[in-house]
Amino acid sequence: MDKAQKDQHTRYQQMVKEATPQPNRWKNAAMAFITGGLICTIGQLLYNLFEIIEPSRLETTAVTQAAMIALGAVATGLGFYDWLAERGGMGAAVPVTGFSNTITAAAMEFKREGYILGMGAKMFVIAGPVLVYGILSGFVISLLRAVLSGSLF
Amino acid sequence: MTSKRLGLQTVVFQEAPRIIGCSTIAGPKEGDGNLGPYIDTLVDDPLMGQPTPEKAERMLLYQACQDALAKAALKEDDMQFFIGGDLLNQIISSSYCARDLGIPFLGIYGACSSIVEGLGLGALIVDGGYADSVLAATSSHYQTSERQFRYPIELNVQHKKSNQWTVTGAAAAVLSRTGAGPRITMATFGRVLDYGIKSPNDMGAAMAPAAADTLCRHFADTGTSPGDYDLILTGDLAAVGQKLFVQLVKEADYTLGSKHMDVGAVIYKPEQRSGAGGSGCVCSAIGILGYVVKEMHNGRFDRVLALATGALFSPVSNQQGDSIAGIAHAVVIEGGNL
């Protein structure tokens, strides 16, 4: 690419930047806060409910997580979750229900190509990177902690 | 060169082929939009009762072809060529539709510029004397495009304001040497231009330079100016792209003013939550074969310059860091004595 072409590209990108409407960040942040807050409140309510049945903190956390994942999957299946995310943005994407949505949405989409090569193979097409790097960073941090504290547990 | 060419990129049709029958079909969202009244057939179910949107898209395309043939009072056997293009990998909608139609098939890919590429090529064939009648058609579908170019439908994504919504539907036109209907008098085939836009959320911005280039080329080749046309239509630049397009054209000293309309920018109403507007092969096709042709019959337009733009890229090229190139083709449609 010669210099004249490069300048033209830079100039055009500036034009594009000026022509593109900016997102309303305050509104988006407020909506994300409300949406995320609502989802977490539902989670907390479920936690309190499960705590009555099973007082162990570890068990209750696990059951609450599972319930929220199921809830996210059902909301996706009903076509409600993308509606929510369109309005709530990251407030809907960050909680575990959003993670559940990425898997369910992909599973629904690729089911048409069959259960093995479609759904089975492509279910984690969006969630896959989250899992890979989530596990990797978990491992690295644990390793650092073990080295620094001199103990594995 | 012969008198069939003007300037660098424009061809002139001496026996201008006529659009003797055309039809558009689209889904409920398009029906609720601003151009709803110009669409011939509206379907309630974008899936057409099919198990997959891909199957639905080719069904829409087949339906549009049949409707166009019926309007021209012709049959498949009367067509010497079927020129079709769509957005899906290996243009499956067009090929499977061609399988069902049984007309000799020329598959094209010009992304969202397919309908004008098809009309231009069809006109070349007819004016060249290689066919009496040619069928040109295109289709696009929100769900098939989303999955191929973006994300699963139900995924939690918040669309950007520059995002465009792919029009669901199909459109077809029968071009013929004889008969009644608007004539295609000229075509300007565009160059591929790449101004380094990389985001698939900014398709309008990626296509605007190509649209401006083809338009200015057309004016230079033919010695015409915006004043010579009743309408200058662009396909699917949408809100962001059309702003850039008008700016680029202005830099070349052409003022479009109220003569210009972008189908993508007007096809949906603001409350329909479709970002910057519509996109997809059928967006420009509804503008040309729906809005323009119908308004020509109403006597509102007599000479229209129709441009359709396409973004040339694939998810693979995009993920590998390549920028998105744009293309634009133009045809001049004249009413004259319909």
Side-chain angles (χ1 to χ4, degrees):
Chain A
M1 202 192 295
D2 57 21
K3 197 181 171 296
Q5 210 180 356
K6 213 169 184 171
D7 288 348
Q8 185 192 41
H9 286 194
T10 318
R11 209 188 120 255
Y12 185 63
Q13 264 142 24
Q14 189 56 39
M15 273 172 76
V16 173
K17 215 171 155 187
E18 282 159 22
T20 308
Q22 288 306 305
N24 188 340
R25 292 184 200 283
W26 288 108
K27 189 185 152 214
N28 284 355
M31 286 299 284
F33 181 78
I34 295 166
T35 312
L38 268 175
I39 294 171
C40 294
T41 310
I42 296 170
Q44 185 61 46
L45 285 174
L46 286 177
Y47 182 91
N48 292 357
L49 187 77
F50 295 140
E51 207 177 24
I52 304 167
I53 310 162
E54 174 57 65
S56 142
R57 190 182 143 73
L58 211 61
E59 299 276 315
T60 316
T61 313
V63 174
T64 309
Q65 288 252 12
M68 291 308 281
I69 287 169
L71 212 62
V74 172
T76 305
L78 294 174
F80 170 68
Y81 213 86
D82 68 326
W83 179 91
L84 185 75
E86 187 64 61
R87 287 146 184 91
M90 273 297 150
V94 172
V96 76
T97 44
F99 181 69
S100 160
N101 164 269
T102 60
I103 299 166
T104 319
M108 285 166 70
E109 185 90 10
F110 296 106
K111 202 188 111 199
R112 292 158 182 155
E113 279 86 66
Y115 285 99
I116 309 291
L117 294 176
M119 195 172 104
K122 292 186 178 159
M123 199 158 142
F124 292 95
V125 70
I126 312 280
V130 183
L131 290 174
V132 170
Y133 296 109
I135 293 167
L136 185 70
S137 54
F139 173 77
V140 170
I141 297 294
S142 305
L143 193 70
L144 276 176
R145 199 187 79 145
V147 169
L148 291 178
S149 68
S151 149
L152 271 175
F153 300 100
Chain B
M1 234 15 231
T2 64
S3 56
K4 289 196 175 205
R5 284 195 71 88
L6 265 185
L8 286 174
Q9 284 168 236
T10 305
V11 291
V12 185
F13 303 114
Q14 286 164 338
E15 287 176 58
R18 289 174 183 271
I19 302 173
I20 60 165
C22 63
S23 190
T24 52
I25 182 167
K29 182 162 173 151
E30 290 70 32
D32 291 340
N34 289 319
L35 296 183
Y38 294 98
I39 301 168
D40 293 303
T41 314
L42 290 170
V43 294
D44 295 331
D45 175 18
L47 280 176
M48 303 284 286
Q50 297 291 311
T52 75
E54 284 77 10
K55 288 188 205 301
E57 181 177 329
R58 73 185 75 127
M59 202 169 170
L60 286 164
L61 181 57
Y62 184 77
Q63 188 62 49
C65 289
Q66 289 296 343
D67 293 348
L69 286 170
K71 281 196 182 171
L74 292 171
K75 290 198 185 57
E76 286 98 325
D77 294 346
D78 302 317
M79 298 293 114
Q80 278 110 28
F81 292 99
F82 168 49
I83 305 175
D86 58 86
L87 292 174
L88 301 189
N89 289 339
Q90 288 78 43
I91 53 168
I92 49 170
S93 304
S94 303
S95 344
Y96 284 114
C97 178
R99 174 190 69 186
D100 297 340
L101 288 169
I103 307 168
F105 171 54
L106 297 173
I108 56 170
Y109 186 83
C112 307
S113 71
S114 294
I115 191 63
V116 170
E117 186 177 352
L119 290 173
L121 285 172
L124 280 177
I125 294 173
V126 173
D127 188 49
Y130 296 101
D132 288 326
S133 299
V134 170
L135 180 66
T138 192
S139 65
S140 58
H141 197 294
Y142 170 72
Q143 293 191 25
T144 60
S145 291
E146 280 300 301
R147 80 174 306 184
Q148 182 175 302
F149 291 103
R150 295 173 199 101
Y151 301 109
I153 303 291
E154 299 294 338
L155 190 71
N156 58 61
V157 246
Q158 193 170 37
H159 292 97
K160 292 194 164 65
K161 283 184 180 172
S162 58
N163 268 136
Q164 289 172 242
W165 188 282
T166 308
V167 173
T168 298
V174 176
L175 291 178
S176 183
R177 183 193 301 279
T178 51
R183 294 169 300 145
I184 297 181
T185 53
M186 285 187 233
T188 304
F189 294 103
R191 303 184 293 163
V192 175
L193 252 68
D194 189 339
Y195 273 35
I197 299 296
K198 288 194 170 169
S199 164
N201 293 319
D202 285 334
M203 304 260 265
M207 300 187 292
D213 183 67
T214 302
L215 183 72
C216 296
R217 198 69 257 173
H218 176 85
F219 288 148
D221 284 351
T222 58
T224 53
S225 67
D228 295 313
Y229 298 96
D230 300 322
L231 174 74
I232 293 164
L233 190 88
T234 49
D236 59 348
L237 295 171
V240 179
Q242 77 164 354
K243 214 189 287 177
L244 292 160
F245 166 73
V246 170
Q247 246 173 299
L248 289 169
V249 172
K250 198 164 194 158
E251 283 175 11
D253 281 333
Y254 293 108
T255 311
L256 300 178
S258 59
K259 287 266 162 92
H260 172 241
M261 179 181 125
D262 182 74
V263 188
V266 299
I267 191 163
Y268 297 119
K269 291 177 179 157
E271 66 268 23
Q272 286 182 299
R273 293 191 85 99
S274 34
S279 69
C281 303
V282 179
C283 190
S284 45
I286 284 176
I288 297 165
L289 300 176
Y291 179 69
V292 169
V293 168
K294 283 201 167 60
E295 288 294 355
M296 271 189 172
H297 281 283
N298 293 344
R300 192 168 145 208
F301 301 133
D302 190 51
R303 197 169 191 227
V304 173
L305 178 60
L307 283 121
T309 46
L312 302 176
F313 76 110
S314 85
V316 173
S317 70
N318 194 246
Q319 282 167 1
Q320 292 179 352
D322 288 309
S323 51
I324 301 172
I327 190 161
H329 300 299
V331 284
V332 176
I333 305 173
E334 291 187 43
N337 46 344
L338 290 172

